[in-house]
Amino acid sequence: MKQKLSPTAKRAKAIRDKKAAMTADRRKKKAENQRKRRAAIKAGKNIKGKDYDHKDKRFKSVKANRGNDGKGTKLEG
């Protein structure tokens, strides 16, 4: 579900999101995710609808790959 933002807020959020996505850490994770997905597909695994969890080093559903395994993000770090 999309956020209901004003046009000004939408532009500001796009700039913030782009800046966060281009940090060195996020770029490394994105590159790692692409390598893992390509390798998994080549190995014949069905990873449709799954994301790579960098902490647990495996593919999980998008839902399971959120919120620090049910502990919330305040304790993550």
Side-chain angles (χ1 to χ4, degrees):
M1 189 170 170
K2 280 186 160 184
Q3 288 182 315
K4 295 176 184 176
L5 300 173
S6 68
T8 309
K10 191 181 280 190
R11 279 192 296 277
K13 182 176 176 358
I15 292 167
R16 283 194 312 271
D17 289 351
K18 175 77 172 180
K19 192 174 179 182
M22 299 307 285
T23 61
D25 184 51
R26 287 302 309 149
R27 290 175 75 168
K28 285 178 190 173
K29 285 180 181 175
K30 182 176 180 181
E32 180 188 8
N33 192 21
Q34 288 174 337
R35 284 193 304 272
K36 299 284 185 182
R37 288 189 79 81
R38 289 179 188 139
I41 291 167
K42 198 179 250 189
K45 294 181 182 173
N46 181 14
I47 57 169
K48 187 174 181 175
K50 295 186 177 179
D51 284 345
Y52 188 72
D53 186 343
H54 298 274
K55 193 168 72 174
D56 295 343
K57 308 278 191 235
R58 65 187 194 95
F59 285 96
K60 289 181 165 183
S61 70
V62 176
K63 183 179 178 181
N65 196 18
R66 289 189 170 270
N68 195 24
D69 296 316
K71 298 179 191 127
T73 55
K74 286 185 179 181
L75 302 173
E76 196 169 33

